[in-house]
């Protein structure tokens, strides 16, 4: 394996959880709901996933439990913002804090417990092609699932009637309600989907990326997923580009440290986050302060208003 091939493979690995979480949040925001609790749902998925995998001895059970854990936490968020019309920003921040605390309780008995990671899928013949084979045809199931999610969400939002209704709810929930569409039910399903994706991204962290549990192992990736959605202008394929861009920055700064680049290691570690912020600022300025997001994003919906 060449150095370049190894770098590409590690970039794919680092980008996959970001992409899965970002795609889920993209659907939630296209429905007009801003969920800042992605970090909390990711970390609870990571904790629940590794706990279930070690307890049952099955990685599949771990993945399923992680998805359900993310959806369960998102259901709490939905109860607040849909049932009680609570402020979405405050509810999302509370969700992130609750997820971080609860994950520490769930994962405490499993700290340092090693478990074999989920293996890669090897496609016969194609995986033997130099460079292209290992990169495209010898990956773990999560990588293929992330690509399928991007394609599926793109098709759903642009080609299906249900996707068009969801976008209409995100643009003008009052008009959608007047036309007879169940706004809260649509948003509930979108929130559950986003929670499931965040839990799946967390499962990737604890079952594939680093197959063990440590507190706070998501390390801010949920917040980066939120930034990727804005970076992508709420478009699925742009979200894929943004996820891989940030994954590349993360891996390249590690190689820069190992190569002895004469810069403080703390600065290099923070560089991907700083570049992400800079890109977002430039995008907002290029749009003269207005992002092309859903018009009803973050606005509580009350049927009688």
């Amino acid at each position: 394996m060449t150095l370049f091939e190894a770098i590409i493979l590690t970039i794919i690995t680092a980008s996959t959880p970001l992409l899965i979480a970002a795609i889920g949040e993209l659907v939630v925001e296209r429905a007009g709901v801003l969920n800042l609790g992605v970090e909390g749902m990711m970390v609870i998925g990571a904790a629940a996933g590794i706990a279930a995998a070690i307890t049952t001895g099955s990685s599949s059970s771990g993945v399923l439990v992680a998805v359900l854990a993310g959806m369960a936490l998102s259901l709490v968020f939905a109860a607040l913002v849909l049932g009680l019309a609570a402020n979405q920003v405050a509810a999302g921040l509370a969700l992130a804090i609750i997820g971080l605390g609860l994950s520490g309780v769930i994962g405490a008995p499993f700290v340092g417990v090693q478990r074999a990671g989920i293996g890669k899928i090897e496609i016969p013949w194609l995986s033997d092609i130099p460079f292209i084979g290992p990169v495209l045809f010898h990956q773990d199931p999560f990588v293929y699932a992330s690509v399928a999610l991007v394609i599926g969400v793109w098709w759903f939002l642009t080609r299906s009637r249900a996707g068009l209704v969801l976008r209409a709810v995100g643009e003008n929930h009052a008009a959608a309600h007047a036309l007879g569409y169940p706004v809260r039910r649509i948003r509930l399903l979108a929130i559950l989907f986003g929670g499931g994706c965040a839990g799946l991204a967390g499962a990737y962290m604890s079952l594939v990326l680093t197959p063990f549990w440590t507190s706070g192992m998501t390390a801010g990736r949920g917040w980066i997923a939120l930034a990727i959605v804005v970076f992508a202008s709420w478009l699925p394929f742009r979200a894929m580009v943004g996820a891989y861009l940030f994954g590349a920055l993360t891996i390249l700064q590690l190689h820069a440290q190992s190569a002895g680049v004469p810069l403080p290691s703390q600065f290099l570690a923070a560089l991907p986050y700083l570049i992400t912020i800079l890109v977002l600022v430039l995008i907002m300025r290029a749009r003269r302060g207005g992002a092309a997001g859903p018009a009803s994003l973050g606005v509580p919906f009350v049927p009688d208003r």
Side-chain angles (χ1 to χ4, degrees):
M1 184 182 296
T2 64
L3 176 61
F4 180 68
E5 183 180 326
I7 291 175
I8 295 297
L9 290 173
T10 50
I11 287 174
I12 293 174
T13 302
S15 305
T16 298
L18 297 174
L19 178 56
I20 295 173
I23 284 295
E25 177 61 17
L26 186 146
V27 173
V28 176
E29 294 192 14
R30 291 301 289 263
V33 178
L34 177 62
N35 185 358
L36 299 182
V38 178
E39 178 78 5
M41 295 184 295
M42 278 186 70
V43 74
I44 200 71
I50 192 68
I54 292 173
T55 302
T56 63
S58 169
S59 296
S60 299
S61 298
V63 173
L64 177 61
V65 170
V67 172
L68 292 176
M71 293 177 71
L73 200 58
S74 71
L75 193 60
V76 176
F77 174 79
L80 292 173
V81 301
L82 300 181
L84 302 176
N87 183 277
Q88 295 178 11
V89 173
L93 292 174
L95 193 72
I97 296 170
I98 291 172
L100 288 169
L102 190 58
S103 66
V105 175
I106 296 173
F110 305 97
V111 173
V113 179
Q114 294 287 335
R115 172 172 173 77
I118 296 177
K120 295 186 176 183
I121 299 175
E122 183 175 349
I123 301 177
W125 306 106
L126 295 177
S127 61
D128 296 328
I129 301 174
F131 182 74
I132 296 177
V135 171
L136 299 180
F137 305 111
H138 192 195
Q139 294 289 348
D140 59 77
F142 287 83
V143 174
Y144 298 120
S146 67
V147 177
L149 274 173
V150 172
I151 297 173
V153 167
W154 169 82
W155 179 88
F156 172 77
L157 292 175
T158 61
R159 296 292 184 269
S160 71
R161 182 178 183 275
L164 294 176
V165 171
L166 182 141
R167 289 166 53 191
V169 168
E171 289 297 333
N172 192 327
H173 53 219
H177 175 68
L179 291 172
Y181 294 119
V183 174
R184 285 192 287 193
R185 186 190 308 168
I186 291 169
R187 287 185 169 178
L188 173 62
L189 293 175
I191 290 171
L192 289 175
F193 176 79
C197 287
L200 183 64
Y204 185 87
M205 296 293 301
S206 60
L207 296 177
V208 178
L209 191 60
T210 53
F212 62 87
W213 166 254
T214 181
S215 182
M217 68 185 307
T218 50
R221 287 176 174 84
W223 301 108
I224 296 302
L226 286 164
I228 288 172
V229 175
V230 181
F231 170 83
S233 301
W234 293 269
L235 298 174
F237 286 108
R238 289 189 187 179
M240 175 180 265
V241 173
Y244 278 91
L245 173 62
F246 184 81
L249 293 172
T250 303
I251 296 304
L252 291 178
Q253 65 89 10
L254 292 175
H255 283 280
Q257 291 185 45
S258 62
V261 174
L263 289 172
S265 60
Q266 295 85 353
F267 174 77
L268 290 174
L271 188 60
Y273 300 90
L274 295 174
I275 292 178
T276 300
I277 294 172
L278 177 61
V279 169
L280 290 175
V281 170
L282 292 176
I283 290 174
M284 296 298 288
R285 290 193 64 179
R287 294 170 180 166
R288 296 182 181 179
S296 295
L297 181 62
V299 181
F301 171 71
V302 180
D304 57 355
R305 292 183 184 176

